[in-house]
Amino acid sequence: MQAVPKVIGLDVSLTCTGVAGEGWTDTIRPRTGLRGHPRLAWIIERVNEHIAGADLVVIEGPSFGGGVAHRHEDLAGLRVMVRHACWRRSIPYAVVPPSCRALYATGKGSGSKGAVRDAVRTRYGIDCDGPGRYDQADAYILCAMGLHHLGWPLAVVPDTHRRGLDGSQWPTTEGLAA
């Protein structure tokens, strides 16, 4: 019997990165005042701990709204660093647009953060509470999408929701799917 692949979902952020695997969520939260290269290095060290041994990492892609222009460069750099960390370890990674993540979770590409969190609780039985709750929920959906893509869905997902898989950039992952 083949083991379930290790898939890690990452909702990458400079202040609170959501991380999830099958049955768990976590956050990576740099201490207040940590900025620039030291903050990026600290986050990448924590990401490396979480992705060790992963078969697939699913990363949320950029959001082109939300008023993040003041930190766009560091956030874009962090996303590239995360992808590079995967590449250095020969871990395939997928990039999922926020609208596809919301669509997979809620059936609507414009589904709210609260609706995604509710879907994680209802469909998967994972409670995401406290600081970083939306980041954890987003990461869990990304993990669920990755497992579904590989042929190991964590739950029955309506056809309307499964369309979120189609708009994502999936790597070639021969040998991982069931």
Side-chain angles (χ1 to χ4, degrees):
M1 185 163 123
Q2 187 176 3
V4 176
K6 179 179 178 181
V7 175
I8 301 297
L10 293 173
D11 179 19
V12 178
S13 167
L14 294 168
T15 56
C16 185
T17 292
V19 184
E22 183 183 3
W24 61 270
T25 64
D26 199 358
T27 57
I28 298 171
R29 297 173 56 93
R31 72 177 186 276
T32 303
L34 192 61
R35 299 276 185 258
H37 289 283
R39 174 169 58 180
L40 296 173
W42 190 90
I43 294 169
I44 289 298
E45 287 175 20
R46 305 294 86 70
V47 165
N48 283 333
E49 293 166 4
H50 284 290
I51 68 172
D55 295 303
L56 176 66
V57 174
V58 184
I59 306 162
E60 184 165 295
S63 171
F64 296 106
V68 295
H70 67 282
R71 56 195 164 106
H72 171 75
E73 188 170 340
D74 280 355
L75 184 55
L78 179 58
R79 274 196 196 84
V80 170
M81 291 172 74
V82 167
R83 293 191 326 250
H84 187 73
C86 293
W87 175 80
R88 286 192 63 179
R89 288 155 188 77
S90 299
I91 300 170
Y93 62 87
V95 178
V96 173
S99 61
C100 291
R101 183 244 323 128
L103 179 60
Y104 186 84
T106 70
K108 292 186 203 173
S110 61
S112 70
K113 293 281 195 179
V116 171
R117 180 177 159 229
D118 291 347
V120 169
R121 178 181 292 127
T122 303
R123 187 169 294 123
Y124 304 105
I126 302 293
D127 287 322
C128 301
D129 294 312
R133 62 191 171 273
Y134 301 125
D135 308 300
Q136 292 173 49
D138 287 352
Y140 202 81
I141 290 297
L142 296 168
C143 170
M145 290 177 78
L147 283 164
H148 194 153
H149 172 74
L150 294 176
W152 297 87
L154 292 177
V156 174
V157 179
D159 290 340
T160 53
H161 296 47
R162 276 197 301 268
R163 291 180 298 136
L165 296 170
D166 298 335
S168 303
Q169 299 171 7
W170 299 103
T172 303
T173 51
E174 291 86 11
L176 291 181

